[in-house]
């Protein structure tokens, strides 16, 4: 268990800036997520932490140690690769033993620790198997065991579940979280899958174009996104353009709405152009048109447990609305319906 | 409809192979293991192993094969590794240049090696000049019996085969494989031994088997070096009294068995490797751009390999321009006389015409067969596909010497192929065309297969759905898309046919039918200025081939595929 700190990391590949002055603090024992679209720099940051890439500028600290110039294996941070990177010319056991052999661990101890690591990932007795006899999910577990067996202080995971099918992915989410917590590891986990991040992370950093946009626990990122990028990337949302008025009131094209600023001490002056983010599940459809907004239903998607409506507002813009456990199924039509929501669910964002 | 066409094509190709490939090989085996008195007999082979001259010849051939393969590996592995890992100045052109030695005729180069490394050669003269050597005690660099001369020439000729195979293997390795080892504390040198080298074994074995079989049965180079105590040369010398002497057949049969074993072993090793199971690597290999000085070191390394590998042929060029080259670093008097004289020699112009005809006809046969076979392998779903694929690759495993011998036996009066040599005239044209075509077919098939795999089936289906017949689809859609690959494979087949030694030396008996290679060999045997004339003819051949290979590399794109088994 160790704190990881990135201080002003910049990484350049030729003319391309992959990371631009990124600073992060990851607490000991935390499972921390780096989340973002492809090319946002999340993998590059992980590789800088792992020591597989040297930052152009900035420093990396593990606890009190400055590890910026330290080679990867001396950082006590084991890496799990997206492609697993298991060596096909070795058995499962040989793959796991590799790191111990390189550390000159006693032959007898190696066998014990390999068995131990296999038990940790629930693959007891698989040591003699060849990799071609292992399924994708099992290979994933072997690659975890290979990283764990050297007893690292940190576990770095680069999109570890992206090669698995949906069912296995769900299963492995809780497995990985369990393993990180049971072994007192500091985990850094790179993914582009927001569901993975929301369900597993203690805290996460959303990245965009080489910059960290927001850091916080999942519920905070989801409920108080600091920008329309974050709001749109984490979960679905409706973004409405508007102009700030007095007292957190915002004029949109069709109504004046109460909003909650995303950043507590931010109070936009009247006349400033802003954006409102309203989650689809925060909106309720009512019969009365005397609601916050009104419009007509133009599309309906029924998914059993939930129902999704697309509502067109008076100015032609559209809003998504989802209803849990729907009792009344409304049909698309010309009839006007009302959209109701609380001012707390309307996040005020800078444009 | 598709299936019927595929089956009939498979049948045709199988029959062609049975007649022109398996049958001659079987004939060789029959002559080696069958006598008219006792039926099946091991006595000929037994005699071969009892005869110290033959056992020495076999042992020498085997040692040549192993040494040449190891020497090629020593050049090829570092070369492929540096090329895989680093970016350096002139990388693109140098990567193409280091392939060229493969198509420089090795037995011509052997002349150059003799000129440079011989006792009266340029290197000794150079050392004497520097005062590092006593002129009365010159060094014999080639070793007793010229063994090392043959090894050097084979290695400098064949390393590109290993280089291409290893490079292809390296590019298939997920870069995360090495990073994982690095992350777990494995230092660079051990990483190379524990991860990179084992993961490259498919390439090493695929290329190594070809290099071994090639040098184990190489005839031309030992002949030029006068290294007669080696099995292929003993076989060649045995042709003169073929009628009543079964020993050459027994020798050839033993070589066939050894080659086949090596081929099977390498296939088994390839089959065992489980590289296919891991998920496809996502990370692309990122070539590192080393610090300036080191980058230029890489450039220098590539250039040195090319320079040394082309040195023998440079020696041939110098010899062809020399009035006299003996015990000096460079000739003292230069002349273009040999080129003029060579063109006037009765052997030269006809041999160029012959070779051009033989090689073009063989290439044409290969292209037609190659496209048909590749189509069956890639596009059809019939059962025999894998068998067909393995069958057409077999010529890589069977030494040219074996086939040449089989053809020779079958073209005698009263035998099956007698009609191919047009009866009594003993004109070997069609025999040579078929022999060249069979042996070069794998290259064309591989490049056509690669091309078909790259081009999308939907493109053909679109043409079919718009009403084009299969034949017209082939002509208007498939062939144009395959063009570059076919040209690359065809050029390679053509170049190798032009350089062919075993078939040419054994099957062309009268001087008016000599191809270039046999003409060069005859000129080498001439007293007087034979060496210089042979060099001049060799230079003409090399200019020709240099142009061909550059074309093949430019058009080929994917180099690795051509030499895979």
């Amino acid at each position: 268990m160790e704190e990881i700190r990135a201080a002003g990391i910049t990484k350049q590949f030729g003319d391309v800036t992959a990371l631009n002055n990124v600073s992060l603090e990851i607490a000991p024992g935390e499972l921390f997520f780096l989340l973002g679209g492809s090319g946002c720099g999340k993998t590059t940051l992980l590789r800088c932490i792992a020591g597989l890439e040297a930052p152009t500028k900035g420093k990396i600290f593990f606890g009190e140690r400055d590890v910026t110039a330290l080679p990867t294996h001396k950082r006590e941070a084991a890496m799990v690769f997206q492609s697993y990177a298991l060596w096909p010319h070795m058995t499962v056991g040989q793959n796991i033993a590799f790191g111990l052999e390189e550390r000159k661990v006693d032959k007898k101890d190696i066998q014990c620790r390999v068995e131990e690591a296999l038990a940790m990932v629930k693959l007891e007795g698989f040591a003699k198997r060849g990799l071609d006899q292992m399924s994708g999910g099992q290979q994933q577990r072997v690659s975890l065991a290979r990283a764990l067996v050297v007893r690292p202080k940190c576990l770095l995971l680069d999109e570890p579940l992206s090669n698995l099918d949906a069912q296995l992915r769900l299963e492995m989410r809780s497995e990985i979280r369990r393993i990180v917590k049971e072994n007192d590891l500091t985990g850094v986990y790179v993914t582009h899958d927001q569901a993975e991040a929301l369900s597993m992370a203690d805290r996460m950093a959303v990245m965009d174009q080489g910059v960290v946009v927001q850091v916080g626990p999942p519920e905070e990122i989801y409920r108080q996104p600091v920008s329309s990028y974050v709001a749109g990337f984490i979960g679905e949302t409706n973004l409405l353009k508007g102009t700030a008025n007095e007292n957190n009131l915002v004029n949109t094209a069709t109504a004046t709405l109460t909003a909650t600023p995303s950043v507590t001490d931010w109070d936009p002056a009247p006349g400033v152009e802003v954006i409102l983010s309203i989650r689809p599940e925060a909106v309720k459809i009512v019969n009365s048109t005397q609601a916050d907004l009104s419009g007509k239903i133009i599309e309906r998607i029924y998914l059993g447990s939930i129902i999704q409506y697309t509502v067109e507002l008076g100015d032609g813009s559209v809003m998504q609305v989802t209803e849990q456990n729907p009792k009344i199924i409304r049909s698309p039509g010309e009839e006007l319906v009302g959209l109701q929501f609380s001012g707390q669910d309307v996040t005020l964002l800078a444009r | 409809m598709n299936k019927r066409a595929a089956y009939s094509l498979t049948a045709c190709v199988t029959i062609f192979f049975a007649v022109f490939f398996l049958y001659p090989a079987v004939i060789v085996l029959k002559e080696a293991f069958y006598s008219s008195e006792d039926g099946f007999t091991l006595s000929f082979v037994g005699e071969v192993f009892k005869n110290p001259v033959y056992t020495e010849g076999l042992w020498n051939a085997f040692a040549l094969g192993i040494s040449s393969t190891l020497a090629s590996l020593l050049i090829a592995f570092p070369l492929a590794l540096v090329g895989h890992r680093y970016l350096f100045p002139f990388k693109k052109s140098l990567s193409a240049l280091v392939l060229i030695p493969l198509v420089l005729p090795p037995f011509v180069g052997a002349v150059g090696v003799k000129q440079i490394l011989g006792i009266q050669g340029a290197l000794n003269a150079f050392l004497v000049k520097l005062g590092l050597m006593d002129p009365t005690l010159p060094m014999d660099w080639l070793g007793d019996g010229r063994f090392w001369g043959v090894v050097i020439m084979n290695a400098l000729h064949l390393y590109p085969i290993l280089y291409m195979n290893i490079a292809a293997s390296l590019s298939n390795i997920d870069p995360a494989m090495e990073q994982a080892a690095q992350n777990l504390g494995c230092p660079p040198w051990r990483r190379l031994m524990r991860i990179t080298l084992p993961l490259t074994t498919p390439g090493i074995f695929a290329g190594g088997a070809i290099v071994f079989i090639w040098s184990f049965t190489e005839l031309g180079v030992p002949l030029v070096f006068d290294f007669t105590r080696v099995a292929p040369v003993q076989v060649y010398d045995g042709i003169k009294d073929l009628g009543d002497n079964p020993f050459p057949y027994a020798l050839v049969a033993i070589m066939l068995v050894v080659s086949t074993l090596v081929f099977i072993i390498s296939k088994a090793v390839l089959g065992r490797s489980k590289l296919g199971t891991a998920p496809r690597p996502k990370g692309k290999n990122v070539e590192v751009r080393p610090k300036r000085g080191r980058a230029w070191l890489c450039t220098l390394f590539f250039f040195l390999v090319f320079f040394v590998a082309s040195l023998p042929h440079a020696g041939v060029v110098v010899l062809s321009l020399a009035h006299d080259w003996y015990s000096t670093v460079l000739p003292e008097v230069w002349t273009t006389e040999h080129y003029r004289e060579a063109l006037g020699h009765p052997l030269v112009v006809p041999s160029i015409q012959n070779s051009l005809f033989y090689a073009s006809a063989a290439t044409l046969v290969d292209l037609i067969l190659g496209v048909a076979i590749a189509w069956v392998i890639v596009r059809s779903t019939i059962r025999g596909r894998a068998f067909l694929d393995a069958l057409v690759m077999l010529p890589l495993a069977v030494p040219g010497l074996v086939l040449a011998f089989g053809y020779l036996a079958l073209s005698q009066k009263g035998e099956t192929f007698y009609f191919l040599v047009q009866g009594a005239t003993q004109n070997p044209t069609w025999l040579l065309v078929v022999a060249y075509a069979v042996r070069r077919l794998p290259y064309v098939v591989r490049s056509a297969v690669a091309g078909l795999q790259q081009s999308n089936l939907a493109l053909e289906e679109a043409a079919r759905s718009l009403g084009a017949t299969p034949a017209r689809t082939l002509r208007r859609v498939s062939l144009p898309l395959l063009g570059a690959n076919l040209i690359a494979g065809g050029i390679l087949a053509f170049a190798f046919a032009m350089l062919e030694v075993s078939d040419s030396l054994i099957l062309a008996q009268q001087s008016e039918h000599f191809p270039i290679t046999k003409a060069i060999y005859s000129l080498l045997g001439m007293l007087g200025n034979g060496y210089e004339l042979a060099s001049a003819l060799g230079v003409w051949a090399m200019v020709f081939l240099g142009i061909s290979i550059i074309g093949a590399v430019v058009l080929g794109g994917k180099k690795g595929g051509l030499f895979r088994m």
Side-chain angles (χ1 to χ4, degrees), chain A residues 19-256:
Chain A
L19 293 173
N20 192 356
N21 197 19
V22 170
S23 294
L24 273 181
E25 277 176 37
I26 300 169
E30 187 172 42
L31 180 53
F32 191 90
F33 269 63
L34 296 174
L35 185 66
S38 63
C40 72
K42 56 189 191 300
T43 296
T44 308
L45 180 57
L46 186 79
R47 291 171 64 85
C48 284
I49 294 173
L52 294 170
E53 213 78 74
T56 315
K57 253 195 288 183
K59 285 194 181 307
I60 309 258
F61 294 93
F62 281 19
E64 293 303 306
R65 295 188 292 163
D66 178 355
V67 299
T68 318
L70 209 61
T72 175
H73 61 279
K74 294 203 173 139
R75 299 186 179 197
E76 296 176 84
M79 178 107 171
V80 174
F81 292 85
Q82 181 180 17
S83 59
Y84 315 150
L86 296 172
W87 302 299
H89 58 296
M90 303 181 192
T91 63
V92 168
Q94 287 168 334
N95 262 282
I96 298 173
F98 186 94
L100 298 175
E101 286 162 9
E102 290 303 325
R103 281 170 172 67
K104 309 267 184 297
V105 175
D106 231 39
K107 274 254 161 62
K108 276 175 285 169
D109 294 350
I110 288 182
Q111 221 187 344
C112 287
R113 282 174 67 176
V114 168
E115 283 303 324
E116 210 176 282
L118 279 170
M120 210 166 344
V121 296
K122 299 182 178 158
L123 284 178
E124 291 98 333
F126 279 74
K128 294 263 177 339
R129 295 264 190 125
L131 290 174
D132 50 345
Q133 295 164 285
M134 308 291 276
S135 69
Q138 289 172 324
Q139 293 192 15
Q140 170 64 73
R141 286 168 191 265
V142 175
S143 79
L144 270 169
R146 184 178 69 181
L148 292 171
V149 76
V150 298
R151 295 183 184 152
K153 290 182 177 162
C154 310
L155 188 65
L156 310 176
L157 304 120
D158 183 10
E159 307 211 18
L161 304 183
S162 63
N163 280 320
L164 299 180
D165 59 44
Q167 187 56 43
L168 261 174
R169 218 179 295 169
L170 286 179
E171 214 177 293
M172 285 306 287
R173 276 185 198 168
S174 46
E175 274 296 284
I176 290 180
R177 197 178 154 83
R178 173 183 68 80
I179 286 168
V180 169
K181 294 298 170 190
E182 270 179 15
N183 292 281
D184 288 335
L185 293 163
T186 306
V188 187
Y189 190 121
V190 162
T191 185
H192 62 266
D193 182 341
Q194 41 128 340
E196 224 163 271
L198 288 174
S199 61
M200 294 171 71
D202 291 323
R203 284 196 312 146
M204 58 207 236
V206 181
M207 295 183 67
D208 183 31
Q209 293 176 18
V211 181
V212 171
V213 193
Q214 188 173 6
V215 182
E219 62 277 12
E220 187 182 310
I221 303 259
Y222 188 80
R223 295 231 292 262
Q224 293 143 3
V226 297
S227 70
S228 51
Y229 172 80
V230 177
F233 192 81
I234 311 291
E236 273 184 66
T237 195
N238 296 294
L239 296 173
L240 296 181
K241 286 180 183 169
T243 318
N245 204 329
E246 303 275 307
N247 296 330
N248 290 337
L249 287 176
V250 173
N251 301 328
T252 68
T254 55
T256 299

